[in-house]
Structure formats: C-alpha cells, structure tokens
Amino acid sequence: MTALRADGVHRSFDHPSGAVHVLRGVDLEVAAGELVTLSGPSGSGKSALVTLLCGFDQPDRGTVEVCGRSLTTPPPWQLCAVLPQALGLAGELTLAENIALPLRLDPARRGHPVGDAVDGLMAELGIDGLGDRYPAEVSFGQQQRAALARAVITGPKVLLADEPTAHLDRRSAPAAVAVLRRAADTGSAVLIATHHDLVHRAADRTLVLDNGIVSVH
Ligand SMILES: Nc1ncnc2c1ncn2[C@@H]1O[C@H](COP(=O)(O)OP(=O)(O)OP(=O)(O)O)[C@@H](O)[C@H]1O
Ligand SMILES: [Mg+2]
C-alpha cells in the first residue's frame, strides 16, 4: 500500500539574482514497510523535497499525499514524522522531553506512561544518561540521535529522515540505521535523504534526485 506519494512536484525559490528552480516535476511513491533512500549531489534539492513531503512547505505545482490524504498543512506526527537536517529540537526541553513530545501531543495516548519507550530508544541509540540535558548541553551527534528517537517514537505511518547519520560515528551510525530499518520492518514507509553508504545498504531501493527530478538508481 502506498503511504507516501508525490506527483509532478515543482518548487522554485525567489532570489535577487533570479528564481532558483529546484524541483522540476518530482514523482515518487513509498509503500508501507519499505525503506527507500534518496541520494543526489549537495544542493540538488533533497532537503527541499523532504520539507515538502512532510507538509512544512508547499509545492508551486503538483501534489503530495500521505496515506491517501493530500497535504496542505503538516499532518499529525503519528501520521508523518520527520528528522530534519537541522534537527529542530526544542531548546527549552530536555532530550527526554523532546523525545516524548510526539506521544504527549497524541490525544489517543494522553495519560499513558512514556518513560519506558523513551528510555529504550535512548539506550539503543547510545544516549542513555543524557535525558535530563538540554540540546545545547550535548553534542550534535547526540542531538541527532535524540531527534531520530523523537521521529520514530510514535511508529509513524510515514517517516522522513534528512541525513540522519551526518553527525554520527562508526559506533552510533549502525544503531541509528537499525532503528530506521526496524521502523520500516514494523510498517512505516521510510524515506531517507543520505550520502552515507551504510544507509543505502539497509535500503530496499534507492532514488536519485538530480536536475530537479527523481529517477531510479
Ligand atoms: N530560500 C531559498 N532561496 C534560494 N535558493 C534556495 C533556497 N532554499 C534552497 N535553495 C537552493 O535550493 C537548492 C537545494 O537545496 P537543498 O538544501 O534542498 O539541497 P540538498 O540536496 O539537501 O543538499 P545537501 O546534500 O547539501 O543537504 C540549493 O541549490 C539551494 O541553494
Ligand atoms: Mg540537505
């Protein structure tokens, strides 16, 4: 079943030196249970595309659908969760509070304990013991793992991750990839923008974004 779909997506950005046409008709589909990687040169528009696919930005033309629903505003986190390239942790919340936030915002889970889920992901990603720290008090790699835990914690229908291993080392990157792979194996449609071979090797297939369109690797 297709969980994420883009059809004919165009996006340009106005700039004093002239419009920058970044996406020129992107089509893609990711099915539930599938892990798809998106590669492409730096500046090719991977982050711009991820930002559109999670509803944080709108295409100039074309459509994005999450679970059959056309996106005009960001959908609930349990439907579509994102690990942005810039991480986007809330600076006024601790790491544990950031990770728990999507559960706390889900009306269906209000009042349910969240501690075990948070602790389990933090241990798996090697950031246990840092739950009481604020993002500014940990490294980028530790922040990135917290942002990954926050993205997967609800078991979203669609999971987007933008360079999820960019700040990670040889020990922490495989743990992050294992968490992403498990998300797909438990039913999420997972799309990951990445330059990292380790992530591509865990994928079911790879797409390439170049010259504004997506093609099969
Ligand atoms: N607001 C903007 N105004 C003008 N150009 C923009 C704007 N935002 C992005 N761009 C341009 O869009 C292109 C795509 O940027 P994007 O960040 O999506 O690339 P990327 O593929 O994610 O690169 P990287 O691998 O370095 O993360 C770049 O050439 C960038 O300069
Ligand atoms: Mg990017």
Side-chain angles (χ1 to χ4, degrees):
M1 187 198 72
T2 299
L4 175 67
R5 186 183 167 103
D7 279 304
V9 165
H10 285 251
R11 184 72 171 103
S12 14
F13 298 102
D14 292 329
H15 194 269
S17 58
V20 185
H21 298 283
V22 179
L23 305 176
R24 299 164 177 262
V26 168
D27 301 316
L28 63 80
E29 286 187 11
V30 184
E34 199 179 24
L35 191 158
V36 177
T37 47
L38 177 67
S39 70
S42 177
S44 59
K46 301 180 298 298
S47 296
L49 179 57
V50 166
T51 307
L52 287 166
L53 295 175
C54 66
F56 288 175
D57 186 26
Q58 299 297 314
D60 302 325
R61 265 197 287 152
T63 55
V64 174
E65 278 183 13
V66 169
C67 297
R69 175 168 149 181
S70 191
L71 281 195
T72 46
T73 53
W77 202 249
Q78 59 273 25
L79 192 59
C80 180
V82 60
L83 163 52
Q85 190 163 16
L87 308 182
L89 292 173
E92 66 277 28
L93 299 180
T94 65
L95 292 197
E97 289 167 344
N98 266 284
I99 296 167
L101 192 60
L103 294 177
R104 300 229 185 266
L105 292 176
D106 180 358
R109 299 183 223 227
R110 199 150 285 157
H112 289 223
V114 299
D116 286 353
V118 172
D119 292 348
L121 277 168
M122 292 188 85
E124 190 173 2
L125 290 165
I127 50 171
D128 41 326
L130 301 178
D132 293 337
R133 303 245 199 121
Y134 290 90
E137 298 171 339
V138 301
S139 75
F140 273 123
Q142 290 163 339
Q143 288 182 37
Q144 186 157 45
R145 284 175 274 167
L148 172 58
R150 179 186 59 176
V152 300
I153 198 158
T154 60
K157 299 280 186 208
V158 172
L159 172 62
L160 305 167
D162 195 351
E163 307 286 357
T165 55
H167 304 293
L168 304 187
D169 61 17
R170 282 183 193 195
R171 186 185 304 186
S172 50
V177 172
V179 165
L180 289 159
R181 184 66 247 180
R182 190 178 64 228
D185 292 341
T186 52
S188 298
V190 182
L191 181 69
I192 307 173
T194 185
H195 296 288
H196 199 160
D197 281 346
L198 185 74
V199 189
H200 289 305
R201 283 199 295 274
D204 298 305
R205 60 193 170 92
T206 294
L207 302 172
V208 181
L209 178 60
D210 205 2
N211 288 317
I213 58 165
V214 162
S215 53
V216 176
H217 183 57

